[in-house]
């Protein structure tokens, strides 16, 4: 232990060097961008090496942060001078940043390694690694930023990178459309974030989070923000917080902007893993956790009509329940996982809303591992089954793909919240406890509990359909285990998915304590609040049991056979399968509105403005005729004579244009002499 | 008469007195001072002061410079003589033959025999030659290639001239020698000579660039253009046994390698001796030269080689610094000489080993390989200089990044360089 | 007439300038014209150094830096100019400046 | 002091004048090199050591090479080096124009009262020069770098032949 302590002391990363964590993947991206196509080994190697180095640096940063968990280590610097004062950016190192950095770099590293195998046959894999590195760099930038502006810049870079990666196979129309959809949908939320940021800068004059008492997350600024009210009696901090939350809604795929997330499955599977586990969706949750003091500033105010966090809690609850419901009826392996991500993110938002941001981050960390595991497992399945993603056409993969099956099952159990051994159980439990303890409303708690049942149910369905029974298609029949570059990351993630939960069990909530900046851990017995835990265990058992009863026992015989649920309630199932019609709804409302506006603008342009211009043109024509008449008859005579004489003079002067350089030089020399002489004469007088 | 004797004796007394006081001064100088410099270290300077000490102050620096010039001429003249012999002997041994061994023991008198032969040969000037330039070329070449020696610190105390911009001066002087080569080629009125001169110009201009770029990192890190300060910056040892020579850093190693390749080309040495490729151009710009003028060209080539090696030693190999602390008792100029000789032997070894390049390969190597590498090396050095305060595990990262920055481009560009060259298909063979 | 060193330097540089000018004016070989122009540029540089050395504010390095930039520009000018000369030669098989007047209207 | 200046000036002016009057282009170029070295000597005399070496490095080392290359590339036979003497009219007009400029300049210089020279030469170390270049003149330095790059590319484009040889390596 002594050696470990010494080692940890050795491994410190001063905060002013924090940028290295993000800069290394960026450098790798730059090298990848310059590498020719055939240098794929180089690009992959550089990307992985940069990620590994970043991981080591993140570990050092974690050691630094844990040495003084309560402190927010910052390094601020002036970016440029606006005239009113310098615009300052900075790096921030606290346990939140450090834990997130370690998670992102570790999961990212494993995903990169997996990608080497998965993208082996792709001709553009150097570009792929370049984009992935940009993605990782941008996400790390979000994490280490100590300024909302810097965070926003990296945030947008994340968006850009996700756009590039979702549309990586841009020759597929679906992928191109999905990329656009993701970009535009998240942009809607980012508009809110941008407005919130501007408002914040307008009210406080700074965008730094922590700045020796002057930052926006410190008491002085928060006090000022809560003191003012705006439209509808809202506190300014509430309004800003809600606007910032808009960005999180877009990025984290919360209701009602969740529609892009399932479509984003069109990208390569490692991208999905990266988006859904480590980087993009985590950014929204991280953002809310980062600005938590701002969001929570209005909690003490009794007179405001609504608290920002209440909105967060309800949005999260709705998303959690809705995502879980839709996931039940999906047939694409990746889409099931995508909606489960939506649902789990809803959980995290729920936790944030009910006041336990540490539980949200805990769930974020564990979720990152098991969701990356599930996605990579799905990728392994897809890779083995020749890009067959429909679970109805898979089946029976348990035999040929033992490693994948085992790790996928671990991921499934972690996601379902199988008690005690798996990390998902502990983090979900923390969230449910927080929801239980919330005195705002009990609806979020019920939504969460319902989602627990559904989660266990659809995950059981997924595993049963994919891995058990007999292969239901040619491709699934020929499946074989993936190469070690793909299975080793799976194993690594599986280990993480199991062990990570023990960092934050109620008996010894080390992670929570460190995140809150406490150096001592106050655990309590598991039996305290054991009722809720028992309830959730029962619910998980119920979900798995139902799944087992419906799918496991009566396995689908052919790919075309109807789903048992579909047979039972065709209407509900169809509605869920159609994702509750959100896309259609948006097409019918927002899309049609925009079409109508466009038609209106077109009509205005065509008829009103054009008519006016045509009228003006007629007027101009008429004036022209009149002026021509006057011109030709009255004025031209004199001008003709004048221009004739001008042309004559021009001809005369053009003789000086000999094209001979010497002549020009001579004239310059003589001109110079004359000039000097004139000046001297003038000076004499 | 008496007055005269008195005056004489008075002046004699005075001069005696002066002589005595001078001797006292000398004795003071001989006594080891508080400085750590050993007697041997200071011996050359004291010897010089003993000679010029008689002169009045205004003349002394002039005499000192004169002595420095004479000393350089003598030392490097002798070095030139024996370098030719060494080259012939070593080449002979590498090619499994004895080399010159008839004149004196082991052929030790061979250079002097060669010298006499060169002096007594007929001096031929072609009828149509540009006589003035034909005469001026070898003279200018020798004179210009000697200029570079002025700023090389040969030892702790032995710097002919201390200049603020010494490195710049050195390369300015080196750049001027190209003119002399051109003069020789043009003045001969011989198409081979002219072709060779054009080739030489192209080659010298091409390699000037990597040569200049390769030492810029040194200037950057040392923060000075003065050779003495650059050598001083390389003093000291890490952990008591690793010298702070620039060649022992990643960028320094790369810079040194680029510098030596470019120096090979700049001094027209094999494998870059295209301007005097016998198989293609007879003897290049030397075709129409004979006798003593030819010997002068030869001399200038060796002087240039020595000067560039001396500069390489100064810039990268720590100059006169001893490699290990306990070896400091050996005078500094001995260390300088040892390093210089090692580099010169390297030159000879390379000549015996490598085949001559083709003209397009030559320019390609310079422009597509050495120049980009040198530019990247500049970046590496900048990184090195910016991260000088990294300690602990970061130092490993610093080394790693710098090493990758050096090795990576070398490997990548080395591949593209040999892409069209290495497995050659001969269309007509 | 009492001439200070600055006067002498200025006279030197004006003489050099005029030599360059006369050379550029009376030679028809484009290379020589270019060389004349280079001499004129050098004369200007001489002035910078002269004023830096003997001028009223000798502490600033501005003169020296100006000359450095000027030398760099001169190098660029020589490179482009001589490339132009070669391209002219390729067009009209000689480099007489009088004949390079294709654009004459 | 003045004596040295006179010698330098005389050498520089004489070589420049002779160079521009010679009939042999190669001799002209080589003599001009001497003239440029003379200017470098002037810089040394004035105490601008760095500029002097830069002048030699660039003018003697680079520009003269380029000039010689241009001379050799723009002729068909050896006789082209000897250039026919110019017409008398052109020479006379050139002398008149140049003489007028010279007269005006000399008149201006001689008739101007200049401040007394400082007693000691300004000391400019390379380090100070570098610092000056990198801080107040950094923008100009960058612009000059861009200019040189553009000039190099432009020169290559102008002088490169349009035809494309099939090199031996292509096979």
């Amino acid at each position: 232990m002594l050696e470990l302590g010494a080692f940890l002391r050795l491994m410190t990363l001063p905060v002013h060097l924090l940028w290295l964590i993000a800069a290394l993947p960026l450098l790798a991206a730059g090298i990848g961008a310059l590498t020719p196509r055939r240098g794929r080994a180089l690009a992959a190697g550089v990307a992985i090496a940069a990620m590994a180095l970043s991981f080591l640096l993140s570990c050092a940063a974690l050691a630094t942060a844990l040495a003084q968990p309560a402190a927010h280590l910052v390094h601020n610097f002036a970016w440029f001078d606006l005239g009113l004062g310098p615009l300052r950016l900075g790096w921030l190192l606290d346990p939140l940043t450090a834990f997130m950095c370690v998670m992102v770099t570790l999961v990212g590293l494993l995903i990169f390694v997996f990608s080497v195998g998965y993208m082996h046959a792709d001709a553009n894999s150097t570009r792929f690694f370049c984009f992935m590195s940009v993605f990782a760099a941008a996400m790390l930038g979000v994490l280490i930023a100590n300024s909302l502006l810097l965070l926003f810049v990296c945030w947008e870079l994340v968006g850009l990178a996700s756009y590039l990666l979702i549309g990586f196979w841009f020759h597929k129309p679906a992928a191109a459309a999905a990329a656009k959809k993701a970009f535009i949908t998240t942009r809607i939320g980012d508009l809110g974030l941008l407005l919130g940021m501007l408002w914040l800068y307008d009210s406080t004059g700074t965008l730094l989070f922590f700045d020796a008492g002057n930052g926006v997350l410190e008491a002085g600024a928060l006090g000022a923000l809560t003191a003012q009210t705006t439209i509808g009696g809202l506190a300014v901090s509430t309004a800003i917080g809600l606007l910032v939350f808009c960005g999180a809604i877009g990025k984290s795929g919360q209701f009602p902007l969740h529609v892009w997330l399932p479509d984003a499955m069109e990208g390569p599977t490692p991208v999905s893993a990266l988006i859904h586990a480590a980087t993009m969706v985590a950014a929204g949750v991280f953002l809310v956790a980062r600005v938590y003091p701002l969001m929570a500033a209005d909690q003490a105010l009794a007179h405001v009509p609504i608290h920002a966090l209440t909105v967060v809690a309800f949005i999260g609850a709705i998303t959690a329940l809705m995502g879980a419901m839709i996931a039940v009826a999906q047939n694409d392996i990746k889409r099931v996982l995508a909606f489960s991500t939506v649902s789990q993110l809803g959980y995290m938002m729920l936790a944030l809303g009910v006041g336990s941001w540490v539980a949200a981050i805990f769930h974020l960390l564990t979720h990152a591992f098991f969701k990356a595991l599930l996605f990579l497992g799905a990728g392994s399945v897809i890779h083995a089954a020749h890009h067959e993603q429909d679970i109805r056409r898979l089946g029976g993969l348990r035999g040929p793909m033992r490693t994948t099956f085992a790790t996928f099952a671990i991921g499934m159990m972690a996601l379902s919240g199988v008690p005690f051994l798996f990390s998902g159980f502990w983090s979900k439990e923390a969230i449910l406890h927080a929801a239980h303890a919330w005195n705002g409303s009990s609806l979020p708690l019920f939504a969460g509990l319902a989602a627990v049942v559904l989660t266990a149910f659809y995950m059981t369905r997924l595993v049963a359909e994919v891995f058990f029974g007999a292969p239901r298609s040619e491709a699934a029949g020929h499946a074989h285990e993936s190469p070690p570059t793909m299975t080793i990351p799976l194993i690594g993630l599986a280990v993480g998915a199991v062990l990570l939960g023990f960092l934050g069990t109620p008996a010894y909530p080390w992670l929570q304590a460190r995140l809150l900046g406490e150096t001592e851990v106050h655990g309590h017995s598991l039996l305290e609040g054991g009722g809720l835990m028992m309830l959730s265990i029962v619910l998980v058992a119920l979900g798995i049991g139902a799944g087992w009863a419906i799918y496991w026992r009566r396995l689908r015989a052919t790919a075309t056979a109807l789903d048992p649920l579909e047979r039972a309630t065709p209407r509900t199932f169809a509605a869920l399968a159609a994702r509750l019609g959100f896309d259609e709804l948006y097409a019918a409302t927002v899309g049609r509105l925009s079409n109508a506006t466009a038609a209106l603008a077109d009509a205005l342009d065509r008829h009103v403005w054009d008519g006016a211009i045509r009228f003006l043109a007629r007027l101009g024509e008429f004036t022209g005729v009149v002026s021509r008449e006057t011109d030709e008859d009255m004025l031209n005579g004199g001008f003709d004579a004048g221009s004739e004489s001008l042309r004559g003079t021009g001809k005369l002067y053009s003789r000086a244009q000999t094209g001979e350089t010497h002549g020009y030089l001579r004239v310059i020399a003589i001109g110079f002499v004359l000039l000097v002489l004139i000046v001297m004469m003038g000076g004499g007088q | 008469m008496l007055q005269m004797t008195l005056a004489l004796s008075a002046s004699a007394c005075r001069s005696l007195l002066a002589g005595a006081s001078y001797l006292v001064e000398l004795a003071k100088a001989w006594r080891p001072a508080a400085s750590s410099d050993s007697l041997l270290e200071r011996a050359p300077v004291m010897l010089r002061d003993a000679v010029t000490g008689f002169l009045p102050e205004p003349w002394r620096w002039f005499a000192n410079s004169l002595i420095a010039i004479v000393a350089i001429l003598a030392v490097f003249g002798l070095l030139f003589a024996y370098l030719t012999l060494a080259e012939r002997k070593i080449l002979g041994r590498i090619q499994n033959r004895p080399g010159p061994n008839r004149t004196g023991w082991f052929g030790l008198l061979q250079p002097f025999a060669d010298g006499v032969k060169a002096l007594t040969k007929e001096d031929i000037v072609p009828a149509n030659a540009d006589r003035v330039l034909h005469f001026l070329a070898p003279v200018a070449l020798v004179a210009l290639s000697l200029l570079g020696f002025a700023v090389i610190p040969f030892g702790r105390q032995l710097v002919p001239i201390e200049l603020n911009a010494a490195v710049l001066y050195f390369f300015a002087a080196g750049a001027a020698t190209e003119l002399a080569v051109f003069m020789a080629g043009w003045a001969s009125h011989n198409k081979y000579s002219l072709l060779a001169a054009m080739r030489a110009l192209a080659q010298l201009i091409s390699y000037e660039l990597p040569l200049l770029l390769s030492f810029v990192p040194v200037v950057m890190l040392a923060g000075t253009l003065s050779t003495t300060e650059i050598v001083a910056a390389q003093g000291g040892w890490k952990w008591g046994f690793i010298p702070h020579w620039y060649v022992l850093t990643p960028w320094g190693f790369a810079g040194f390698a680029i510098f030596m390749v470019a120096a090979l080309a700049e001094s027209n040495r094999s494998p870059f001796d295209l301007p005097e490729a016998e198989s293609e151009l007879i003897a290049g710009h030397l075709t129409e030269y004979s006798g003593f003028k030819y010997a002068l060209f030869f001399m200038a080539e060796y002087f240039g080689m020595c000067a560039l090696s001396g500069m390489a030693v100064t810039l990268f190999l720590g100059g006169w610094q001893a490699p290990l602390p306990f070896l400091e008792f050996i005078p500094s100029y001995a260390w300088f000489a040892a390093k210089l000789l090692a580099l010169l032997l390297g030159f000879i070894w390379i000549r015996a080993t490598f085949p001559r390049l083709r003209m397009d390969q030559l320019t390609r190597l310079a422009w597509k390989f050495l120049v980009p590498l040198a530019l990247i090396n500049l970046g590496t050095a900048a990184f090195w200089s910016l991260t000088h305060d990294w300690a602990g595990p970061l130092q490993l990262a610093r080394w790693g990044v710098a090493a990758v920055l050096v090795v990576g481009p070398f490997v990548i560009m080395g591949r593209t360089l040999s892409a069209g060259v290495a497995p050659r298909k001969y269309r007509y063979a | 007439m009492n001439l200070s060193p600055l006067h002498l330097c200025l006279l030197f540089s004006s003489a050099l300038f005029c030599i360059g000018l006369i050379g550029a004016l009376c030679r028809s070989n484009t290379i020589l014209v270019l060389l004349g122009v280079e001499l004129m540029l050098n004369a200007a540089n001489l002035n910078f150094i002269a004023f830096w050395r003997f001028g009223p504010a000798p502490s600033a390095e501005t003169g020296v830096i100006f000359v450095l930039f000027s030398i760099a520009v001169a190098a660029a000018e020589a490179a482009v100019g001589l490339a132009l000369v070669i391209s002219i030669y390729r067009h009209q098989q000689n480099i007489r400046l009088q004949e390079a007047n294709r654009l004459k209207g | 002091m003045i004596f040295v200046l006179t010698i330098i000036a005389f050498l520089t002016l004489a070589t420049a004048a002779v160079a521009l009057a010679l009939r042999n282009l190669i001799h002209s170029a080589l003599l001009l090199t001497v003239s440029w070295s003379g200017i470098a000597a002037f810089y040394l005399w004035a105490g601008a050591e760095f500029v002097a070496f830069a002048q030699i490095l660039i003018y003697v080392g680079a520009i003269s090479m380029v000039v010689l290359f241009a001379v050799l590339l723009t002729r068909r036979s050896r006789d082209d080096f000897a250039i026919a003497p110019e017409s008398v009219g052109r020479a006379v007009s050139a002398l008149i124009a140049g003489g007028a400029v010279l007269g005006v300049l000399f008149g201006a210089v001689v008739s101007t009262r200049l401040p007394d020279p400082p007693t000691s030469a300004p000391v400019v170390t390379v380090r100070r020069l570098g610092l000056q270049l990198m801080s107040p003149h950094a923008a100009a330095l960058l612009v000059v770098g861009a200019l040189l790059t553009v000039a190099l590319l432009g020169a290559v484009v102008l002088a490169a032949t349009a035809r494309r040889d099939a090199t031996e390596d292509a096979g």
Side-chain angles (χ1 to χ4, degrees), chain B residues 130 133 163-165 168-169 171-172 175-176 178-179 182-183 186 189 194 198 201-202 205 208 212 222-223 225 358 360 364 420 424-425 427, chain D residues 24 26-27 30 33 49-50 53-54 56-57 60-62 64-66 68-69 72-73 75 78 81 124-127 166-171:
Chain B
D130 192 329
L133 292 187
L163 276 181
N164 213 336
L168 197 65
Y169 163 86
F171 289 100
E178 301 163 13
L179 273 179
F182 175 80
M183 269 153 68
W186 194 78
H189 204 287
L194 190 56
M198 297 277 279
L201 277 193
I205 291 178
E208 191 98 330
L212 290 179
L225 277 172
R358 216 167 55 218
D360 61 318
R364 190 190 338 215
R424 273 191 70 197
K425 285 182 201 152
R427 254 185 291 169
Chain D
N24 188 317
I26 297 278
H27 287 184
L30 290 174
T33 314
E49 197 181 75
F50 187 83
F53 297 145
I56 291 189
L57 194 63
V60 181
S64 66
M65 293 293 129
V66 182
L68 289 172
F69 250 78
L72 289 181
L73 285 176
R75 46 144 211 148
R78 206 176 178 87
F81 287 120
V124 52
T125 60
V126 179
R127 173 175 286 275
T167 54
E168 202 179 346
D169 289 334

Side-chain angles (χ1 to χ4, degrees), chain A residues 495-585:
Chain A
V495 171
V498 172
L499 293 183
L500 209 58
F502 297 110
L503 290 181
T505 57
Y508 191 75
W510 177 81
L511 181 77
Q512 283 94 325
R514 287 298 182 274
L515 277 173
L516 287 172
E518 296 159 5
T519 45
E520 286 178 21
V521 182
H522 302 287
H524 52 77
S525 163
L526 286 182
L527 294 177
E528 276 180 53
L532 189 63
M533 191 184 287
M534 281 314 294
L535 178 61
S536 102
I537 292 173
V538 168
L539 290 178
V540 169
L542 187 67
I544 294 183
W548 180 76
I550 296 177
Y551 291 102
W552 206 304
R553 277 198 321 163
R554 271 175 279 155
L555 277 167
R556 174 196 296 280
T558 61
T560 48
L562 279 185
D563 196 276
L565 276 187
E566 195 171 4
R567 247 174 293 154
T569 57
R571 273 164 174 268
T572 322
F573 192 85
L576 288 177
R579 308 180 211 165
L580 294 176
F582 272 104
D583 287 314
E584 288 74 15
L585 180 70

Side-chain angles (χ1 to χ4, degrees), chain B residues 118-143:
Chain B
L119 273 174
T120 51
K121 258 188 168 176
E122 185 189 358
D123 179 26
I124 300 169
V125 181
N128 278 330
D130 192 329
R131 287 179 169 275
V132 182
L133 292 187
H134 191 264
F135 170 74
L136 270 180
V139 178
L141 191 56
V142 171

Side-chain angles (χ1 to χ4, degrees), chain A residues 51-333:
Chain A
M51 221 42 197
L53 268 176
S54 269
F55 173 62
L56 290 179
L57 287 175
S58 300
C59 290
L62 182 62
T64 316
L66 289 185
Q68 34 186 335
H72 299 284
L73 306 170
V74 293
H75 172 70
N76 296 328
F77 53 91
W79 184 24
F80 61 80
D81 206 321
L82 280 172
L84 303 167
L87 187 58
R88 296 166 73 210
L89 303 179
W91 323 124
L92 165 62
L93 180 58
D94 61 1
L96 175 60
T97 295
F99 277 118
M100 289 292 291
C101 279
V102 171
M103 183 276 284
V104 168
T105 48
L106 178 56
V107 175
L109 177 64
L110 293 172
I111 292 174
F112 277 28
V113 173
F114 180 87
S115 307
V116 173
Y118 191 82
M119 299 302 284
H120 181 70
D122 198 287
N124 292 318
S125 64
T126 54
R127 184 155 58 87
F128 180 76
F129 278 105
C130 169
F131 289 167
M132 291 287 266
S133 296
V134 172
F135 205 170
M139 183 63 196
L140 290 167
V142 168
L143 299 181
I144 63 173
N146 183 32
S147 152
L148 194 54
L149 179 62
L150 186 58
L151 191 147
F152 184 70
V153 170
C154 297
W155 177 274
E156 292 298 314
L157 276 177
V158 170
L160 170 71
S162 74
Y163 168 74
L164 293 172
L165 282 169
I166 293 169
F168 184 73
W169 287 322
F170 53 83
H171 44 81
K172 280 202 311 193
K180 268 188 286 182
K181 190 171 179 181
F183 199 62
I184 293 169
T185 314
T186 53
R187 205 56 55 267
I188 295 171
D190 292 349
L191 184 66
L193 175 55
L194 182 63
L195 288 177
M197 195 171 81
L198 293 176
W199 196 345
L200 191 61
Y201 190 70
D202 185 48
S203 342
T204 62
T206 178
L207 285 173
L208 291 176
F209 294 141
F210 297 99
D211 183 21
N214 300 321
V216 293
L217 297 187
E218 288 165 304
L222 290 181
L225 285 177
T226 45
Q228 309 161 18
T229 53
T230 174
I231 322 155
L234 280 179
V236 171
S237 78
T238 313
I240 293 174
L242 287 177
L243 283 171
V244 170
F245 181 55
C246 284
I249 289 181
K251 211 55 123 195
S252 284
Q254 297 294 298
F255 170 83
L257 294 181
H258 64 275
V259 288
W260 66 270
L261 224 166
D263 284 1
M265 293 301 119
E266 294 293 342
T269 303
V271 175
S272 309
L274 203 54
I275 289 181
H276 287 240
T279 54
M280 186 146 165
V281 296
V285 178
F286 172 78
L287 174 65
V288 178
R290 170 57 78 214
V291 299
Y292 195 75
L294 178 69
M295 307 287 287
D298 57 3
Q299 289 297 77
L301 304 179
H303 60 85
V304 293
I306 192 160
H307 294 302
L309 285 178
T310 312
V311 178
V312 176
F314 276 97
I315 292 274
I318 293 171
T319 313
L321 189 56
M322 183 199 68
M325 278 161 65
I326 298 179
V328 169
Q330 297 298 319
N331 284 326
D332 183 321
I333 179 169

